[in-house]
Amino acid sequence: MKTILIKNISLKNRIVDILIEGNTFKQIDQNIIVKADKIIDGTNKAIIQPFYNMHTHSSMTLLRGYGDDMRLFEWLSEYIWPQEAKLTPEDIYNGTRLAIVEMIRSGTVFFLDMYWHHEAIIRAVEEMKVRASIGVTFIEERGKTEIEENINFINNFKPSSDLITINVAPHAIYTVGKDLYQELFKVAKENNLKFNTHLSETIKEVKDCREANNNLTPTEYLDSIGVLDHNTIAAHCVHLTEHDAEILSSRGVTLVHNPCANMKLASGAFNVPLVNKYECKVCLGTDGTSSNNNLSMMEEMKFAALLAKVSYNDTALLSANQVFAWATKNGAKAMGINSGSIKEGKLADCLIVDLNSDRLIPNHNLISNWVYSADSRCIETVICNGNILMEDRIIPNEAEILEKAKRTII
Ligand SMILES: [Zn+2]
């Protein structure tokens, strides 16, 4: 089995050696003597867990900067939807590879996706060797044939590696009706897959839902039709009542906070005191690059912490440690991936960070620096499942991937 030995690296302020065997952290100790296939010198470097981006639409990289700073409906109907309709599977493949390059460079090894042309996304993920759960996405408007084809695809899907899975992704309550939600929930359950949906993103969504459904909030509505459980992943959850938070917590739903997109689209501020009070399961995601406009989970952590503090006038709210857990181990846990921390027996996902970087000096507290100060330049090497995806800031094939994306004009 392939082995990597990382020598003299800082792990939680302790200098250790770390042996990776195959896809696992085999041994963490001082002075490991072993003949390894590869040795990495960790002097003046730290090892840290990578990011798990729990909500994105990866290939929307192609729409980065295409229509910003306008009203939501005008932006969607005049810019985003017409462009999305033109995207071919090859465009999606090129856009996803661009997204994965960006994610690797900014320390992300897993993403939970929701978009069209899932087969093209799977092809890109297989090639780039990151972890991903790719959404097979449903909107009623796209017609019965596509819905049937998608369900058929889900029922017959065989992953090509442990790194890849699919999820069942009804887009939202305003694009998917009750019967289809219930059918898809059943499909997800039968195939033991995650059920991935947008929820309570805007005030309009809540208002329309109350008007159409006997004053039920979107969370109450989804609960009333029986589609919330521990496999449900709900993106945004900006506008929640006490009762909503209670339901989401008791059903074991994973909430995904997307602070940059929520601010850019003026959706509102995630209610951190409320989700803390009900001990909801919370992760972080970037959302797509058309509403962010990048895929940096580092920026997402910082914005999440700052937005919480200013929204609730409480500087102690959402500490660096808490938001770091949301961005890392909570995502791995929600997806059932045995990773998210640097420990013997865990899957070998990690970042090697340059402690000589200007943003990390002085190093009073690495997690504080990581959340409030660092940027992608601090990340030197990225390892996912024991595979080196970026070494000394070099990602193989990066030039070709960027060039193809540049030439993908839509
Ligand atoms: Zn989204």
Side-chain angles (χ1 to χ4, degrees), residues 55 57 114 198 201 235-236 287-288:
H55 180 69
H57 312 279
M114 182 198 278
H198 291 102
E201 182 174 357
H236 298 288
D287 213 350

Side-chain angles (χ1 to χ4, degrees), residues 52-334:
Y52 298 77
N53 183 349
M54 289 294 287
H55 180 69
T56 189
H57 312 279
S58 56
S59 41
M60 286 185 97
T61 45
L62 297 176
L63 298 171
R64 190 196 323 264
Y66 184 77
D68 290 309
D69 310 321
M70 60 187 77
R71 302 274 177 247
L72 185 64
F73 189 71
E74 183 194 356
W75 175 69
L76 286 172
S77 59
E78 288 178 31
Y79 286 79
I80 299 300
W81 292 336
Q83 289 304 315
E84 281 187 324
K86 291 189 214 162
L87 292 171
T88 66
E90 196 60 21
D91 296 336
I92 298 281
Y93 165 76
N94 286 322
T96 306
R97 291 202 309 163
L98 171 63
I100 295 173
V101 164
E102 191 186 335
M103 285 193 262
I104 292 172
R105 192 162 285 290
S106 53
T108 294
V109 298
F110 168 86
F111 65 101
L112 185 87
D113 208 49
M114 182 198 278
Y115 212 57
W116 315 113
H117 302 298
H118 42 263
E119 284 165 289
I121 302 171
I122 291 170
R123 201 176 127 215
V125 170
E126 282 174 343
E127 189 186 310
M128 306 284 288
K129 294 192 164 47
V130 288
R131 299 183 189 279
S133 173
I134 295 131
V136 179
T137 306
F138 293 85
I139 285 184
E140 302 260 9
E141 213 178 57
R142 292 176 73 101
K144 271 207 161 26
T145 311
E146 183 176 301
I147 290 169
E148 277 166 22
E149 280 171 8
N150 280 352
I151 292 175
N152 209 23
F153 178 86
I154 292 166
N155 287 332
N156 292 296
F157 179 73
K158 303 258 181 305
S160 59
S161 85
D162 291 348
L163 299 178
I164 299 176
T165 182
I166 54 172
N167 63 73
V168 181
H171 172 261
I173 60 167
Y174 47 89
T175 48
V176 175
K178 175 184 164 215
D179 292 348
L180 184 55
Y181 253 110
Q182 289 177 321
E183 186 185 352
L184 295 176
F185 188 73
K186 209 168 133 237
V187 169
K189 228 181 179 52
E190 282 166 2
N191 290 282
N192 196 24
L193 297 173
K194 297 292 176 193
F195 191 69
N196 175 19
T197 193
H198 291 102
L199 180 66
S200 277
E201 182 174 357
T202 62
I203 288 171
K204 180 176 169 11
E205 178 187 334
V206 177
K207 186 172 163 276
D208 292 350
C209 179
R210 282 189 182 279
E211 277 169 18
N213 300 291
N214 260 333
N215 208 30
L216 295 179
T217 64
T219 301
E220 289 167 341
Y221 165 72
L222 286 187
D223 194 44
S224 76
I225 66 170
V227 300
L228 298 181
D229 77 0
H230 65 283
N231 277 320
T232 305
I233 297 171
H236 298 288
C237 301
V238 176
H239 301 284
L240 300 179
T241 62
E242 290 257 346
H243 189 222
D244 291 342
E246 203 181 329
I247 291 170
L248 294 169
S249 175
S250 66
R251 300 280 183 246
V253 173
T254 296
L255 287 62
V256 187
H257 180 23
N258 307 272
C260 290
N262 293 156
M263 286 192 279
K264 187 156 184 276
L265 301 179
S267 304
F270 187 69
N271 195 328
V272 177
L274 190 66
V275 301
N276 279 349
K277 178 177 168 188
Y278 287 94
E279 298 179 353
C280 294
K281 296 197 278 188
V282 182
C283 301
L284 275 194
T286 57
D287 213 350
T289 51
S290 55
S291 57
N292 186 310
N293 292 1
N294 65 42
L295 299 168
S296 166
M297 289 286 284
M298 292 170 131
E299 288 189 11
E300 220 59 41
M301 288 194 301
K302 181 169 178 174
F303 278 113
L306 302 192
L307 176 63
K309 290 171 204 304
V310 74
S311 301
Y312 296 95
N313 191 25
D314 180 358
T315 49
L317 191 62
L318 197 47
S319 67
N321 281 330
Q322 187 180 9
V323 79
F324 178 64
W326 286 5
T328 56
K329 66 177 182 187
N330 285 18
K333 195 171 171 199

Side-chain angles (χ1 to χ4, degrees), residues 2-27:
K2 189 184 65 177
T3 49
I4 302 172
L5 181 61
I6 308 170
K7 295 287 291 176
N8 301 317
I9 196 152
S10 173
L11 170 63
K12 294 182 177 168
N13 294 323
R14 197 173 141 240
I15 303 297
V16 294
D17 293 350
I18 296 179
L19 178 66
I20 297 172
E21 190 179 278
N23 66 354
T24 308
F25 290 118
K26 176 80 177 166
Q27 194 184 354

